[in-house]
Amino acid sequence: MIRRQLGRWARTGAFALVGAGIAVGGVNASGASAHLSTGGQYAHVTSSCAATEADRTDPVMDVFYNNATSSNVASHVQHHTGWTNQTGSNQWWVTHTSPSFCLQNASSEQRAIGCGTCDRYHVRFKQTYHGDATWGITALATPHEEIWLPAQCHVVTSPYGYQNGRTIIYNSLVANGGHAFAGSSYWGNTQLQRQCDGAASSVRNIDGRVDFVRIP
Amino acid sequence: MTPVARSVIALLIGGLVGAAVSLAVTSTSSNVEAVSTQSSGAMQLAEVRAFPSFPLYGLEGISDLPFAEATRVTTEILARDARGVAPIQTIGVPPNSPESRGHRMVPDFVDLWYGRCAPPTGSDACDYPVNIQIWRSCNRFVDDYELAPGTPYPHKELMIRGARAAEFDGDRLEVYAGSVTIVIFADPSIAHRVADALVPLNEPAKVEMATVKPGELPATNPGPECV
């Protein structure tokens, strides 16, 4: 496989989100050239952030917006879900394109309902490189449901593990938590994710959908 | 009628019924999809070629990208994989769904993998360099994508072999050929090579290709949203 070179697919211009007709509440503007990156549809397992099946891992299922610093996302997720565990590998994220930045989340940028060797719900999140003129400070998140294979690894529950993760976040923060919800969009990030136990386990973002949840 | 005769007739009837059921399940000459005997959704190459529901395009005769695997994905197959465990239900009805803006993407596609397995270091997972997903365009089309609610997803418009195509920031290349959307997940340098080498795999694709100039793909024709 040919590794993707960072910056090879640099976009030629910035994209300002219009958000036409969508009520998003008190969004903080952060600069005319700021924009929500289009390159970060999946988390990655290496610092190359290569656009390959081997390097991609969990698909982005949520975008937190408005004041979605990593610490704010952590606080609100933990408050509404009750998830306090921060055990899990740290993954890499395309937080900006043109130029491309591939940054790793810290242990503090994840929450889980259970221990590192338990069946659990788990979410990693990463603030994007800069904010967006319409959506403010944004963060990408990859919630999922996973089971622990003894002496091996976590595998995302098939077939609804990613979908369940997104639903849990919505139910906890929006339906029961009162967070504003701007809606959902189709990103089309439906590539199959091979799980760590081999080809026998594989799961995907079934419908390519991403939710937009506001962080006050 | 003697008991023996009744038994013989019963056996014959049972055999005919069994044969009819078998034909209904495995018939590939009608609109009935073949039911794989392997793990849920898995397809052999022969089943790919016999797939009746919508055109399939893939690769043939490329030595470094041989056919590896195929999977059929539908909501029914996903439910079967879940073995009776339903997905978690959303509380209430989330507002501002893509459907409210006329977009709809129901999981209903065929996944094809090409190349040779290259397990990542420390993993038993098998990764292939090329993954092609084929959806009906009425179910998945470039106009369905949004970066955020109400904001189109940025992409680069292309024409590939006479068909509309789109490139998504190194994430994937899509070709809208006839009535299907061909999603190519691969390193960008390989993705275009794949698009240039696509050939029809099943009968519906060959029918769409019948009036197309040599070397080209069917012109984009997505049709209305799928029922």
Side-chain angles (χ1 to χ4, degrees), chain A residues 2 4 9 17 38 41 51 53-54 56 121 164 170-171 182 184-188 190 194 204 206 209 212, chain B residues 88-89 91 94 96 98-99 101 105 107 111 113 126-127 133 140 146-149 153 169-172 187-188:
Chain A
I2 298 174
R4 176 190 176 199
W9 293 98
L17 295 183
T38 60
Q41 291 210 347
E53 185 175 292
R56 286 176 171 158
Y121 290 103
N164 285 345
Y170 177 87
N171 288 347
S184 54
S185 299
Y186 286 128
W187 279 13
T190 57
R194 310 277 185 178
R204 68 182 84 233
I206 293 169
R209 182 192 293 241
F212 279 68
Chain B
I88 295 172
Q89 296 302 301
I91 297 173
N96 204 23
E99 289 75 14
R101 298 184 291 281
M105 269 179 59
D111 238 333
W113 284 271
C126 193
D127 296 310
Q133 284 184 6
R140 175 172 181 158
E146 296 175 313
L147 180 61
Y153 203 102
D169 209 0
D171 173 71
R172 62 185 189 267
D187 186 274

Side-chain angles (χ1 to χ4, degrees), chain B residues 124-202:
Chain B
D124 292 330
C126 193
D127 296 310
Y128 297 103
V130 174
N131 172 211
I132 301 173
Q133 284 184 6
I134 304 165
W135 301 57
R136 287 179 292 168
S137 295
C138 59
N139 194 19
R140 175 172 181 158
F141 194 63
V142 62
D143 295 342
D144 287 322
Y145 306 132
E146 296 175 313
L147 180 61
T151 302
Y153 203 102
H155 59 275
K156 182 180 178 183
E157 287 274 338
L158 306 167
M159 288 296 290
I160 293 179
R161 299 169 59 188
R164 183 180 175 186
E167 206 160 42
F168 294 85
D169 209 0
D171 173 71
R172 62 185 189 267
L173 175 65
E174 298 189 356
V175 182
Y176 310 101
S179 62
V180 295
T181 292
I182 306 167
V183 185
I184 302 171
F185 292 108
D187 186 274
S189 62
I190 302 176
H192 281 272
R193 181 179 157 218
V194 169
D196 289 342
L198 290 171
V199 296
L201 296 179
N202 63 345

